[in-house]
Amino acid sequence: MSSNVTRPAFSCSEVNRGLTNIGPETHPLTWRYSTHGQSILDIKTYEAMEGYAALRKALTEMKPADVQAEIKASGLRGRGGAGFPTGVKWSLIPMGPDAGAKYMVCNADEMEPGTFKDRMLMETNPHQLVESMIVSAYAIQAKRAYIFLRGEYIEAAERLNAAIQEAHAAGYLGENILGSGWGVDLMVHTGAGRYICGEETALINSLEGRRANPRSKPPFPQIAGLWGRPTIVNNVETVSNVPAILLRGADWFKGLSQGLSGDAGTKLYGVSGRVKHPGLWELPIGITCRELLYNHAGGMREGLEMVTWLPGGASTDFLMPEHLDLAMDYDTIMKNGSRLGTGLIMVVDNRHNIVSVVRNLEQFFARESCGWCTPCRDGLPWTVKLLQSIEAGQGQAGDLETLDQMTRFLGPGKTFCALAPGAMEPLQSALKFFRPEFEKGIAAADSQQSGNSFR
Amino acid sequence: MNKIILTQRGAPYEMAAEDRAEIEHSLHHYDDPRAASIDALKVIQRRHGWVPNNAIREIALILQIPDSDVEGVATFYNRIYRSPVGRHVITVCDSIGCFLTGFEEVYAALQQRLGIKPGQTTSDNRFTLIPTCCLGACDRGPVLMINDDTYFNLTVDQLDALLEKYA
Ligand SMILES: Cc1cc2nc3c(=O)[nH]c(=O)nc-3n(C[C@H](O)[C@H](O)[C@H](O)COP(=O)(O)O)c2cc1C
Ligand code: SF4
Ligand code: FES
């Protein structure tokens, strides 16, 4: 396996292209990278840019309950896809002297197709995540913290491990941090593939060295998680907001959305597909997709038209051009039949056949199913087969109705985790918006009668 | 990956001392030895390119868990290989982001140049080709990895030069 090939030159997503006036007051997640002009890899540079100031403040001026209260008041919601209020999640963790061992876990598995935001945060600013994890661990009084990082993120692993070493040497990790009497250790655990590891209970099983099947809930991880102990799992982007909230306050964080949304803070938005300038932008939560796509990503490439878009990953419902003016926040996108998901949009242009697009999506889900629940394990490969025959113009009468049925049989509440319902979101919305495209793939009735059934 | 597996189950596995030390060290990262199973499989795979049968038992002995549990883990995760692979493993993202930017053309050209289908190894044992899900760089698709190196914005005419780098 070894090779003497030199590693390809490091390359990062384009971040905040075209944005001006980037600073700590407006861009808590990316201002350091954007103003420094390159990744912040050494602790001195990070410290010179307010680095570890929030940790110092938390450990010297705030009790764990104060940190939790500030996060709750800030309105921060989980950026891993579900949008669950972070402060509420934290408040479910048992506190007090009898609470025993607890764990803080960062979900850095980032495998939702279309998503590349956590990679950027870790590659450009590893100390920011390290500080965020230490402060979050303090808030819940965890004895140990883990970053569950997907194995393919080689640079992120190297950079995080180097940052952890520097943080140890500087007294920010280990025992008695900053003389507070409290201490924690932080470890990077690298995975070995499989999308399902991102589901938080599957992630816990994986971290325990088991197959990454999700767990039946309840109990939720806040009560019984890693090794049966109370555990918080938060996404990279979620925890990365924590230090800035402690430094500048919950009210400042709420104001970041500039009244565009009832949600608080900024969001890392991204655009991919055949647009002029794909990339990532940190913007007030609640900007419209139109602004993101046309003002920031430059619109479609020459000669292409947008047909439909996915607002936040493979497991979100398609939205249409008429939805471009919706605020990209959790509640608005939900009310309009989809989910914000990870907030990184994918644009489908007019050169694509929508049936092929959906077939590709369902192939992904079919392959990544962990196999525990029958509807998911058997329904997804069946869905793929139906889509393949429709794509080839050989669908049979009743196939679309079978697909409709799948969206119910694999829908919410039928399986142990959200993979199967997530897989049905693009399918059900495509069947709703593009039904004639699917109908075109149903072979004419007479060719079916003439024995065209050997599939 | 249709190779004959040369190492027979039952033959003792001679674990390299530094591999054993590394696995034993990683036990300290967790509250339960089982948690080191993925780390251990990776250590073995780094040495052989894949995980031979009899190494499963050796890992199980170190972690004090049943062989079948180690095997269960080894076969679950797609980046642990339980059959031999070529000297270089190419993993191509076939998820929707790269689909939208045209990975299929690059993937077909790659198969044609290597003369193999996904899941196979070239007859000179140089490359194994495997599809994988989103590599987290959808803004720069199509994307693939060769071993630990990631390549972005791929086009068909770059492929020859790219493969040349891996002897
Ligand atoms: C199939 C599946 C895959 C998921 N993958 C990820 C992931 O890669 N990263 C992530 O942060 N959350 C992922 N999630 C969501 C997590 O289960 C969990 O909600 C999240 O980590 C909670 O963090 P947050 O509250 O900070 O968003 C996934 C969920 C499912 C059902
Ligand atoms: S829904 Fe699918 S991925 Fe989720 S637990 Fe069931 S079988 Fe596994
Ligand atoms: S879909 Fe290929 S890198 Fe994300």
Side-chain angles (χ1 to χ4, degrees):
Chain A
M1 291 287 280
S2 66
S3 69
N4 38 20
V5 183
T6 48
R7 182 84 65 76
F10 175 72
S11 116
C12 176
S13 294
E14 183 120 39
V15 182
N16 291 340
R17 181 181 194 279
L19 300 189
T20 49
N21 297 327
I22 293 172
E25 295 288 340
T26 52
H27 294 76
L29 300 171
T30 57
W31 70 273
R32 294 183 176 98
Y33 175 60
S34 282
T35 55
H36 191 57
Q38 58 189 41
S39 297
I40 292 110
L41 298 182
D42 69 298
I43 197 165
K44 289 277 167 286
T45 312
Y46 182 68
E47 283 174 326
M49 303 177 93
E50 300 186 351
Y52 292 104
L55 177 64
R56 199 171 292 276
K57 177 172 179 183
L59 291 194
T60 54
E61 297 170 27
M62 302 173 86
K63 294 198 180 62
D66 301 333
V67 178
Q68 288 196 19
E70 196 70 30
I71 297 304
K72 201 168 191 171
S74 76
L76 174 64
R77 294 175 70 171
R79 305 296 199 232
F84 193 81
T86 307
V88 175
K89 189 188 264 190
W90 287 10
S91 70
L92 299 172
I93 216 106
M95 296 295 286
D98 304 327
K102 291 176 270 185
Y103 300 95
M104 179 73 210
V105 179
C106 178
N107 190 338
D109 197 53
E110 189 164 71
M111 245 184 257
E112 178 72 28
T115 311
F116 43 95
K117 64 187 179 71
D118 300 340
R119 181 201 269 270
M120 181 279 287
L121 286 174
M122 295 183 287
E123 288 177 347
T124 64
N125 205 340
H127 276 289
Q128 181 168 286
L129 180 59
V130 170
E131 180 181 11
S132 305
M133 285 299 289
I134 305 169
V135 179
S136 304
Y138 175 72
I140 65 159
Q141 293 288 288
K143 80 167 224 187
R144 194 180 288 157
Y146 290 98
I147 297 173
F148 188 105
L149 178 68
R150 65 178 297 186
E152 295 88 341
Y153 282 4
I154 310 289
E155 282 82 9
E158 283 173 1
R159 291 172 180 203
L160 285 168
N161 277 317
I164 287 171
Q165 275 192 4
E166 281 191 318
H168 257 291
Y172 298 132
L173 269 173
E175 286 168 23
N176 192 19
I177 298 172
L178 298 172
S180 66
W182 175 80
V184 73
D185 268 321
L186 174 61
M187 238 78 74
V188 176
H189 171 97
T190 56
R194 292 308 290 270
Y195 169 65
I196 192 60
C197 293
E199 198 278 342
E200 61 183 4
T201 58
L203 182 148
I204 289 170
N205 271 335
S206 189
L207 197 47
E208 289 185 5
R210 302 172 193 277
R211 292 165 75 93
N213 293 110
R215 292 178 179 176
S216 170
K217 288 156 276 198
F220 289 92
Q222 296 90 294
I223 304 303
L226 189 58
W227 296 303
R229 304 300 313 165
T231 303
I232 292 291
V233 181
N234 273 135
N235 171 260
V236 174
E237 184 186 350
T238 312
V239 288
S240 295
N241 278 298
V242 168
I245 294 172
L246 298 193
L247 278 185
R248 297 197 153 72
D251 288 335
W252 161 82
F253 190 74
K254 281 192 193 145
L256 281 176
S257 54
Q258 302 178 2
L260 296 173
S261 163
D263 278 322
T266 60
K267 177 79 192 75
L268 283 174
Y269 290 107
V271 185
S272 64
R274 288 197 279 228
V275 299
K276 287 209 179 94
H277 305 295
L280 279 167
W281 292 266
E282 183 180 6
L283 295 165
I285 197 165
I287 57 119
T288 66
C289 177
R290 186 183 301 284
E291 184 181 344
L292 181 62
L293 179 59
Y294 292 100
N295 295 5
H296 300 300
M300 304 305 292
R301 284 193 209 159
E302 228 45 70
L304 296 179
E305 273 168 53
M306 166 209 264
V307 172
T308 182
W309 53 290
L310 291 163
S315 57
T316 58
D317 293 81
F318 285 103
L319 289 172
M320 299 299 281
E322 67 254 33
H323 298 116
L324 280 176
D325 293 307
L326 295 178
M328 293 273 292
D329 67 28
Y330 296 99
D331 297 343
T332 309
I333 300 290
M334 182 75 86
K335 268 189 223 126
N336 286 275
S338 187
R339 288 189 309 118
L340 181 62
T342 64
L344 279 76
I345 70 169
M346 284 185 282
V347 185
V348 181
D349 62 71
N350 55 343
R351 299 259 178 89
H352 289 291
N353 171 354
I354 191 74
V355 179
S356 307
V357 169
V358 178
R359 185 261 304 152
N360 173 277
L361 284 162
E362 299 307 325
Q363 276 178 320
F364 161 80
F365 289 112
R367 187 174 71 203
E368 297 303 325
S369 165
C370 84
W372 189 15
C373 323
T374 308
C376 178
R377 183 188 60 238
D378 290 355
L380 288 171
W382 188 2
T383 302
V384 170
K385 277 202 180 128
L386 291 171
L387 290 168
Q388 281 170 331
S389 59
I390 293 169
E391 190 182 8
Q394 290 169 5
Q396 295 192 352
D399 280 359
L400 295 192
E401 290 68 24
T402 310
L403 287 176
D404 289 335
Q405 208 174 32
M406 292 291 180
T407 66
R408 293 190 297 274
F409 286 178
L410 277 73
K414 303 289 201 301
T415 54
F416 282 108
C417 94
L419 184 141
M424 291 301 104
E425 292 185 19
L427 176 63
Q428 75 195 9
S429 48
L431 287 167
K432 178 173 72 180
F433 293 127
F434 300 101
R435 199 144 188 116
E437 304 292 316
F438 287 83
E439 281 164 352
K440 270 190 226 154
I442 306 294
D446 52 343
S447 81
Q448 284 185 25
Q449 279 161 1
S450 65
N452 184 16
S453 59
F454 50 89
R455 55 180 173 128
Chain B
M1 282 189 273
N2 43 0
K3 284 272 162 60
I4 296 163
I5 298 168
L6 293 170
T7 350
Q8 295 299 313
R9 191 177 285 276
Y13 178 77
E14 299 287 341
M15 192 178 287
E18 62 259 45
D19 291 354
R20 184 178 298 274
E22 190 173 344
I23 293 169
E24 281 169 356
H25 176 77
S26 69
L27 297 178
H28 300 302
H29 294 179
Y30 308 103
D31 285 357
D32 177 17
R34 173 192 295 276
S37 64
I38 295 168
D39 295 342
L41 289 162
K42 285 189 187 173
V43 168
I44 300 301
Q45 180 160 301
R46 201 175 53 213
R47 181 162 299 277
H48 305 284
W50 65 295
V51 179
N53 287 337
N54 48 7
I56 295 282
R57 145 90 23 119
E58 205 55 35
I59 292 172
L61 287 172
I62 297 175
L63 305 183
Q64 291 291 296
I65 56 176
D67 298 16
S68 55
D69 285 13
V70 180
E71 183 72 295
V73 167
T75 51
F76 187 91
Y77 295 95
N78 58 291
R79 290 209 172 246
I80 302 294
Y81 309 129
R82 277 294 280 114
S83 39
V85 291
R87 290 196 296 286
H88 308 289
V89 178
I90 309 178
T91 44
V92 180
C93 170
D94 65 356
S95 292
I96 185 66
C98 290
F99 180 87
L100 295 174
T101 49
F103 92 91
E104 284 185 321
E105 194 194 343
V106 173
Y107 199 31
L110 196 54
Q111 293 174 39
Q112 191 241 324
R113 279 184 179 52
L114 297 174
I116 53 173
K117 294 205 164 56
Q120 296 182 336
T121 299
T122 54
S123 55
D124 60 359
N125 213 30
R126 186 167 155 206
F127 291 112
T128 299
L129 182 66
I130 304 177
T132 190
C133 64
C134 179
L135 289 169
C138 330
D139 54 333
R140 292 168 288 159
V143 185
L144 62 72
M145 291 182 80
I146 303 184
N147 307 332
D148 281 351
D149 308 330
T150 311
Y151 296 92
F152 309 97
N153 295 315
L154 284 164
T155 56
V156 171
D157 47 345
Q158 292 168 352
L159 290 178
D160 287 330
L162 184 58
L163 295 176
E164 272 313 302
K165 291 176 155 196
Y166 296 85

